Amino acid sequence: MQDKARMLRKHDALIIVDVQNDFLPGGALGVPEGAAVIPALNRCVAAFHKHGLPIFATRDWHPANHCSFRARGGPWPPHCVAGSSGAEFAPTLALPPDACIISKGTGVEADAYSGFDRTELAAQLQVRRCQRVFVGGLATDYCVRATALDAVRAGLETVVLADAVRAVDVHPGDGERALAELRQQGVHLEQSADVCR
Ligand code: VGL
Ligand code: ZN
């Protein structure tokens, strides 16, 4: 992307994906180096706030008997149970009070990796007339991937903040493969410092 095209402008929005305690090292489903996304995202929060641009934060918000949990035959340990401390946003994530919180995976029988899946996100972006979204958070190979792909499908110009994402890497290379796939699908990859200044 050209230098000028990277600059924040009207109709941009920030989407912070699942920066919750359970996805940080030590959490129930800790992402390696997960906390490294926080300083980069905080810089972006400050820049979007300064420009008066909307900030969305998605959160995994599961019932205690969620279908994605191993006890129910799913792939994951219990994580991000609604109302638990593990489901809270990372305490060092500097979300402004007017950030729009999007809860997902709230039903017992359906998982949702994408912030667009059975949520208000698309409608909220639409009422704010957003045309371009910048996406960062956790995890590259699951919820960031799914959210960015749905953003492209929704017709939004989509930028993933490459230094503001980290992967679970259940299989080594999953994160890198996800980024390659995103690029192939038309997602731009940018460094947060080049965008958020
Ligand atoms: C996620 C695994 C299970 C994510 C959520 O936020 O990437 N990963 N639930
Ligand atoms: Zn989950």
Side-chain angles (χ1 to χ4, degrees):
M1 215 180 248
Q2 300 278 313
D3 204 46
K4 183 145 183 286
R6 285 197 206 109
M7 285 172 57
L8 295 183
R9 58 185 190 231
K10 213 167 142 182
H11 307 301
D12 285 343
L14 178 64
I15 303 176
I16 298 174
V17 176
D18 297 8
V19 180
Q20 296 168 270
N21 290 328
D22 271 344
F23 294 126
L24 299 179
L29 188 35
V31 175
E33 297 178 19
V37 305
I38 295 173
L41 289 172
N42 283 345
R43 272 194 302 277
C44 291
V45 165
F48 276 75
H49 194 71
K50 186 177 82 181
H51 286 83
L53 297 168
I55 297 168
F56 295 86
T58 72
R59 62 183 181 186
D60 227 21
W61 200 248
H62 296 319
N65 57 343
H66 191 244
C67 62
S68 78
F69 297 172
R70 279 179 196 138
R72 296 277 325 277
W76 307 113
H79 63 277
C80 297
V81 172
S84 69
S85 56
E88 285 171 15
F89 290 116
T92 53
L93 182 68
L95 279 181
D98 60 348
C100 182
I101 310 298
I102 302 288
S103 301
K104 63 183 175 64
T106 59
V108 176
E109 298 303 339
D111 204 0
Y113 289 144
S114 166
F116 289 87
D117 194 351
R118 282 166 270 224
T119 73
E120 291 287 293
L121 181 54
Q124 291 290 332
L125 288 163
Q126 215 158 39
V127 293
R128 291 167 171 84
R129 308 209 178 293
C130 299
Q131 294 170 356
R132 183 169 69 161
V133 293
F134 292 80
V135 183
L138 303 170
T140 315
D141 34 0
Y142 293 94
C143 292
V144 169
R145 171 185 174 276
T147 300
L149 288 175
D150 274 352
V152 170
R153 288 180 195 124
L156 296 157
E157 186 175 2
T158 306
V159 180
V160 164
L161 299 162
D163 58 317
V165 297
R166 289 295 185 280
V168 180
D169 278 338
V170 169
H171 309 284
D174 280 354
E176 283 308 313
R177 278 189 289 277
L179 291 177
E181 178 191 11
L182 289 173
R183 198 185 258 126
Q184 197 176 32
Q185 295 301 313
V187 172
H188 303 278
L189 301 183
E190 296 289 348
Q191 295 296 310
S192 63
D194 292 335
V195 171
C196 300
R197 48 186 180 182

